[in-house]
Amino acid sequence: MHDDHDHPNDGDDGHAHPHHGAPPDPLVARTAALRESLVGRGLVDPATMQAILDLYEKEVGPHNGASVVARAWTDPEYLEWLRRDATAAIRAMGYGGRQGEHMVAVENTPSVHNMIVCTLCSCYPWPVLGLPPAWYKSHAYRARAVSEPRAVLREFGVVLPDSTEVRVWDSTAEVRYLVIPRRPAGTEGLSEAELAALVTRDSMIGTAVIAPR
Ligand code: FE
């Protein structure tokens, strides 16, 4: 099953209507109606729902994934563990559970660039990245990431040499991916914490690369 998981957040960064004067988004109205129906039937407890939203908006976020990446950059044994069993290696850092039950780490190298998408909906590795940005859930990204990944990357400002293969990974309810971006040049002397501060959310989705220092 692909659609047996919940997607409680329908906005990006806490606001669902970024465009002033735009017509109401039918998805927002549908989400509100669905919420009302579930709460009305006692199937969903609003307080529990809010607690989950608070957790993923305030505590769980890309800083989790960034610490995984920084450790992978500095600890070859940890990197090896991530390659072998990303779910366990990530859980060992305290990040597991909902939407991260089966993780796969995909490593960027000079010859391979990885990018993640969910073509059917918005599956995303919550424990390491938090909730997905609105563009990740957009129809345009979901379709074009597969049909023309290099064009999408260019729009994100990422231009890769032709010799770099682009691999697009389609997330599902079963498997969620975390991109391990390339460690930027000029960071040899940095601590793990300093390295983690350089790792962006988009670099772990594969729609950004990290600039050299
Ligand atoms: Fe999905």
Side-chain angles (χ1 to χ4, degrees), residues 2 5 7 118 121-123:
H2 186 87
H5 55 288
H7 289 150
C118 174
C121 47
S122 57
C123 297

Side-chain angles (χ1 to χ4, degrees), residues 2-3 5 7 99 117-124 136 142 170-173 176:
H2 186 87
D3 56 353
H5 55 288
H7 289 150
Q99 312 293 319
V117 66
C118 174
T119 56
L120 282 186
C121 47
S122 57
C123 297
Y124 191 73
Y136 183 85
R142 285 158 40 207
D170 193 2
S171 308
T172 67
R176 305 299 165 93

Side-chain angles (χ1 to χ4, degrees), residues 20-107:
H20 292 286
D25 184 343
L27 262 184
V28 173
R30 273 167 58 193
T31 305
L34 180 62
R35 182 184 197 279
E36 197 179 326
S37 166
L38 291 170
V39 171
R41 293 182 207 175
L43 294 172
V44 164
D45 171 17
T48 304
M49 190 149 63
Q50 193 56 49
I52 292 172
L53 284 178
D54 285 347
L55 174 67
Y56 285 94
E57 280 173 359
K58 293 170 190 159
E59 287 179 39
V60 179
H63 54 279
N64 290 2
S67 65
V68 171
V69 169
R71 187 163 169 199
W73 283 345
T74 52
D75 178 347
E77 281 182 26
Y78 185 74
L79 176 60
E80 195 47 51
W81 191 11
L82 261 185
R83 288 172 177 153
R84 223 174 38 243
D85 185 350
T87 310
I90 290 168
R91 199 193 302 118
M93 293 192 66
Y95 315 132
R98 202 180 285 268
Q99 312 293 319
E101 292 89 348
H102 302 286
M103 293 291 309
V104 171
V106 288
E107 256 175 284

